[in-house]
Amino acid sequence: MQTPFQKTLVHLAVASACGMLAMPAHSQEAQQVQQTPPDAAAATGTDAAPPASAPTAAPTAAPAAPTAANGVSTVVVSGSRIATRGFNQPTPTTTLSTADIEKAAKPNLFDTLTELPALQGSTGRTTNTFSTSSGIQGLSSLSLRGLGTLRTLTLLDGQRVVGANVTGVTDVSQFPQLLVKRVDVVTGGASASYGSDAIGGVVNFITDKKFTGFKANVEGGMTKYSDDKNGTLQAAWGKAFMNDRLHVTASGEFTKHEGIDAPRFGQVNAGGRSWYDNPALQESTPAMQAAGAPRYKYIHNAQHIQYAKYGLITGGALRGTAFGPGGTPYPFQYGTDCVGNFCVGGDRSGSVGNGTNLAMNFKRQVAYTRISWDLDADNEIYVTGNWAQVKSVFQPNPGAAKQGNLSIRCDNAYLPASLVAPCLAGYPSGAMPVGTANAEFPADINVHPTRTQRRFVIGADGQFGLFGKNWRYDAYVEHGENTTVIHVKDITLNPRYNFAIDAVRDPASGQIVCRSAAARAAGCQPINILGDVPINMAGWNYIAPENGPMQHTDSSQDVASVNINGEVWQGWAGPVSMAFGAEYRREKYAVYGDPYGAGEAYESPYSASYPADPTLSRTGDNWFAGNYHNGKGSFNVREAYVEFNVPFLKSDTWGEANLNLADREEKYSTAGKASAWKIGATWKTPLDGIRLRAVSSKDVRAPNLSELYAAMTVTNQAVNNNQGQSIQIQQRNVGNPNLKPEVARNNSFGIILSQPSWARNFNFSVDYFDIKVDNVISSLNPQQEVDLCYAGNQQVCSSVSINGPAGTNYVLAQSFNFASLHTRGIDFETAYRLNMGDFGLPGAVTLRGLATRTIHSISDPGVPGTTPSEGAGNMTGATPKWKALVSQSWDGLLQGKLGVTLSERWIGAGVFNNEYIECRTNCPLPTAAHPTIYDNHMPGAVYIDFGATYNVSKQVTAYFKVDNLADRDPVLVPQTNLSLALNPAVYDAIGRTYRAGVRMTF
């Protein structure tokens, strides 16, 4: 008896066969397809078109394609598992060649890819520098269509790579980049061909498996401001032995960025930059809103009035008293236009917003080898090994700002004598509210993530004959491990901090001691936070011990996969091709933290590094940030797929057409069954150079280990209550083992003009895409939950506690399958090559352009009381309405030795948030879903890059590159709390950057 899975495969096969037999009567006998460069035609979906590429693309020889027995070129494209002759896939695919990558001249291939318009929302060295506990700091992961890194599948030679954290996303920095000969970016659903996670698309890195010789790349650079100095050294070697049957390839890579140090407190800019001006969104009071004022207003030179650099009394009779050198009290200089938490101007020396690194200190080391043995002329076995380590260091914020939530008693030993009597008289409770930036701390929080990958693959590939047909196969087993260790240093323990600042004078000894006897017994040493005074180092070592928060994560992946493709038979309009295969995958992880953050447990016991302290909570969450918890989990999946390419039209009158069908069935040990399918078609019309393509697919993303089993993580956030007051809370995230797969419908339609007779070197394509994702695994952000709770949503209120004492407030965030995503837009791509010899000039000019217009990017939380939000053009997110990349290259100057490239990166203008209502007077009352704002406009940006290469000899090429030539300042994106106010996912955050290097090939 057949299983439902078997029936599905049989039905698909029968349907394909029937489609072939029902060909139009005017179909002609198949003719031999002319040989076509794989990168030029198959990858881009055009006839012999130059590959769509990065801004520095230049025409290059296409990589060699596998050759069938009859000598006709076959092509394997990343949008499909089928290798076939002259097949132009329906799924749009952009390809970067070796020349494109080299002209971009980036130390990390990841930075080249993220400039492509379809890639939106990727993470990297300049993102998440403010976060201690996100787990993605320093992680170079790719995101297509703004759907997130979780919904983009990143492959190496068509194979899965072990994730760099518990979400399963890969770190491109751990790939062997020098040996990459091309990158295929599939901008459409590809789950039917590749499995889970390919909702947004696939990014496939293809290495040169038969590289012979030696090549190297040496590069160095820095910014205009003499910071973020970097160096790269890459080398690769390959050689064939034993009559070319044994082939050995090895490569090593090292890259180091020094990063950009934060200037700590105040309105000072990093490295001499002048654009930061303490921006913030000032929130009006409920009374002002009732009178018609907008809720938010963008202000510059913002002053947070809940703290000062060395302490500020924030309420009561002594409000406005600050503390200066030696602890001397003085009147705090408030700014003007004081509303809510902010004034404009005044004393901003204690501002912490600019105390975040613009870019992380970053180091990557990669070693890679591939050894293959040819069994015969058509078959090989191989083994690959990869070791990679990526280290980052960054500062998320200076000090540890306390926003008016400290309680300093009137008998505090460090309180100036002149304030004791006023304190007792003005505060019946005997305590004053105080806020401070804690600028007296001798060191700032610094985070040290280290990711180490070990990956091994054993495989075989080749071809064989069966029933008179030629079939190709590839099979492999993979084992990958990634160990992530995060150390946080110079950070405080909240309970110890509170004990240490509550200091009194011991009546017996006259010494200043901690008030709590229990804390004194546990080693408490007092500190003075009232004034610019040297900190008691014994007290500092007590509140910020040498061993700070620690997280150790072990992730592993095991894969066994086999894929077979070939021509089934000769149809009326051409050969019918088929691909099929199966895969087994198992992923697991285990994570443990230190006992102060995770709580005392078998995985996180007390030790000499973390001795027991009865004043700390045994359940953890004692750190200011970085409270990493313990957890573990695993899942496995079994899957199989089948894919057909059916030519059904070949006519001088009507042109040529192909049908592409695919189905994949999956069974997860956790999420149950899932299925994906694809149906697509291409039509080479009889109109000169016009081709049409369309595809519709069902794609899936199964919940990852983090979503299923994530240990609780705690991050510090600030939310506003219904009075507009800022409250520090802990955001507690935890996994949900009952999650089900996300399901997407992906539709696209494209028109291609490919080298018509009237413009032989011109190519243009336009593709419309529409992606709808249901059962989205998502959670609300803390402010959303707080607003919903105040609006009366009792279900959400059970996860919110913000009215307790300082240090006890929290919002619990757990993921559910209740959300949906819907994005649609248009991709444009063009290329034109002009031979300058026709004008009596040397060389050739290549013009290229890629652009994406995102029409909608709608996120629906799916929770009662919430409304969908539009993300397209929301410049606080990752999806601008327009993102474009245009380049002009002139190669072959100075007797063919010099090439120059000018490129432009364009980000269209947008808004703070599409859900904001812009108004200045007579505003409607704001709601949680639709706040009001004074000015909702956010400008776009244009960045100009320039580069050149010079062939010193046949073996040596020198090059240089200047990015952001005009040193365009980043657009500031203020928040409701003081921050760096940058969105590096959209805007350039670093400024003009210079790089130069030498490439050698022997």
Side-chain angles (χ1 to χ4, degrees), residues 847-864:
L847 309 177
R848 277 201 178 83
L850 297 120
T852 294
R853 167 66 164 97
T854 303
I855 300 171
H856 288 300
S857 181
I858 299 173
S859 175
D860 186 349
V863 174

Side-chain angles (χ1 to χ4, degrees), residues 129-131 261-270 275-280 301-304 307-309 342 347-358 395-401 403 436-437 444 972-983:
T129 57
F130 59 87
S131 171
D261 292 335
R264 302 195 76 207
F265 301 93
Q267 197 168 308
V268 182
N269 284 265
W275 45 260
Y276 183 78
D277 62 2
N278 262 39
N301 303 309
Q303 174 196 56
H304 205 300
Y307 62 88
K309 189 172 185 180
F342 293 111
D347 183 354
R348 301 182 302 282
S349 62
S351 173
V352 300
N354 201 25
T356 300
N357 291 116
L358 285 177
Q395 173 183 307
N397 60 272
Q403 298 184 15
T436 178
D444 296 321
L972 298 181
V973 186
Q975 301 177 22
T976 56
N977 202 33
L978 283 182
S979 68
L980 192 56
L982 291 180
N983 184 4

Side-chain angles (χ1 to χ4, degrees), residues 881-929:
K881 287 186 177 180
W882 280 100
K883 182 179 179 182
L885 193 59
V886 181
S887 69
Q888 308 84 40
S889 295
W890 193 339
D891 297 299
L893 298 170
L894 299 181
Q895 291 79 46
K897 292 186 176 183
L898 177 67
V900 295
T901 299
L902 185 69
S903 61
E904 300 81 33
R905 297 172 277 141
W906 173 50
I907 303 296
V911 296
F912 280 107
N913 193 304
N914 285 294
E915 308 315 311
Y916 287 178
I917 299 171
E918 183 177 304
C919 58
R920 300 190 178 184
T921 59
N922 299 317
C923 296
L925 282 175
T927 64

Side-chain angles (χ1 to χ4, degrees), residues 468-517:
K469 301 293 183 181
N470 190 59
W471 293 81
R472 298 195 62 85
Y473 70 92
D474 69 84
Y476 73 94
V477 293
E478 178 248 14
H479 175 74
E481 299 174 353
N482 231 318
T483 300
T484 301
V485 180
I486 301 177
H487 287 286
V488 185
K489 300 180 180 180
D490 300 310
I491 191 170
T492 58
L493 287 160
N494 286 329
R496 289 188 180 179
Y497 175 88
N498 292 332
F499 285 129
I501 66 173
D502 188 15
V504 295
R505 193 171 295 276
D506 181 34
S509 65
Q511 300 295 314
I512 298 177
V513 297
C514 302
R515 183 189 304 272
S516 169

Side-chain angles (χ1 to χ4, degrees), residues 589-951:
Y589 93 105
V591 58
Y592 62 87
D594 64 275
Y596 297 166
E600 183 193 12
Y602 173 79
E603 299 89 350
S604 52
Y606 291 128
S607 64
S609 298
Y610 300 93
D613 183 342
T615 66
L616 300 179
S617 170
R618 295 175 65 91
T619 59
D621 298 332
N622 291 290
W623 297 105
F624 175 76
N627 291 289
Y628 306 113
H629 286 247
N630 305 326
K632 61 182 178 180
S634 66
F635 73 81
N636 63 73
V637 56
R638 293 168 290 166
E639 49 194 314
Y641 76 94
V642 62
E643 182 175 1
F644 291 92
N645 179 53
V646 184
F648 63 89
L649 174 65
K650 191 174 183 66
S651 165
D652 291 336
T653 303
W654 297 98
E656 303 175 12
N658 291 295
L659 182 68
N660 183 237
L661 303 167
D663 181 82
R664 178 178 290 260
E665 299 294 324
E666 304 167 305
K667 186 173 182 180
Y668 289 85
S669 60
T670 51
K673 294 182 179 179
S675 63
W677 53 261
K678 176 180 71 172
I679 179 169
T682 61
W683 178 25
K684 184 178 181 182
T685 73
L687 301 177
D688 187 12
I690 299 294
R691 182 186 300 276
L692 304 180
R693 60 187 174 196
V695 64
S696 180
S697 64
K698 174 189 174 185
D699 300 282
V700 297
R701 183 183 79 86
N704 59 49
L705 290 171
S706 175
E707 293 162 333
L708 291 166
Y709 304 114
M712 182 180 291
T713 59
V714 180
T715 58
N716 287 321
Q717 301 286 346
V719 298
N720 293 328
N721 63 16
N722 61 345
Q723 299 299 315
Q725 296 173 325
S726 178
I727 297 174
Q728 289 290 128
I729 59 102
Q730 290 182 341
Q731 178 179 334
R732 301 176 179 178
N733 299 307
V734 65
N736 183 354
N738 298 316
L739 294 172
K740 298 299 180 183
E742 298 178 349
V743 179
R745 280 299 306 272
N746 199 320
N747 300 298
S748 67
F749 172 79
I751 303 174
I752 303 161
L753 176 63
S754 176
Q755 303 193 63
S757 58
W758 46 271
R760 282 298 181 187
N761 295 318
F762 179 71
N763 295 274
F764 176 78
S765 69
V766 56
D767 288 274
Y768 171 82
F769 62 87
D770 187 307
I771 306 171
K772 176 68 182 296
V773 191
D774 292 319
N775 295 331
V776 169
I777 301 168
S778 182
S779 62
L780 300 171
N781 66 49
Q783 189 63 60
Q784 285 178 313
E785 293 197 33
V786 170
D787 289 344
L788 283 172
C789 181
Y790 278 117
N793 190 315
Q794 295 304 311
Q795 181 180 1
V796 175
C797 279
S798 63
S799 299
V800 174
S801 176
I802 63 170
N803 296 316
T808 66
N809 297 315
Y810 69 89
V811 173
L812 180 65
Q814 189 176 33
S815 296
F816 297 93
N817 291 102
F818 52 55
S820 65
L821 299 170
H822 188 191
T823 183
R824 58 189 178 96
I826 304 173
D827 288 332
F828 302 90
E829 180 178 340
T830 187
Y832 181 63
R833 182 174 175 83
L834 186 64
N835 187 348
M836 300 305 291
D838 298 339
F839 305 92
L841 297 172
V845 170
T846 302
L847 309 177
R848 277 201 178 83
L850 297 120
T852 294
R853 167 66 164 97
T854 303
I855 300 171
H856 288 300
S857 181
I858 299 173
S859 175
D860 186 349
V863 174
T866 63
T867 58
S869 61
E870 172 63 79
N874 179 351
M875 307 307 270
T876 61
T879 313
K881 287 186 177 180
W882 280 100
K883 182 179 179 182
L885 193 59
V886 181
S887 69
Q888 308 84 40
S889 295
W890 193 339
D891 297 299
L893 298 170
L894 299 181
Q895 291 79 46
K897 292 186 176 183
L898 177 67
V900 295
T901 299
L902 185 69
S903 61
E904 300 81 33
R905 297 172 277 141
W906 173 50
I907 303 296
V911 296
F912 280 107
N913 193 304
N914 285 294
E915 308 315 311
Y916 287 178
I917 299 171
E918 183 177 304
C919 58
R920 300 190 178 184
T921 59
N922 299 317
C923 296
L925 282 175
T927 64
H930 299 290
T932 51
I933 191 169
Y934 187 85
D935 183 1
N936 200 25
H937 175 73
M938 287 289 290
V942 176
Y943 304 103
I944 300 172
D945 307 331
F946 177 75
T949 61
Y950 184 79
N951 297 325

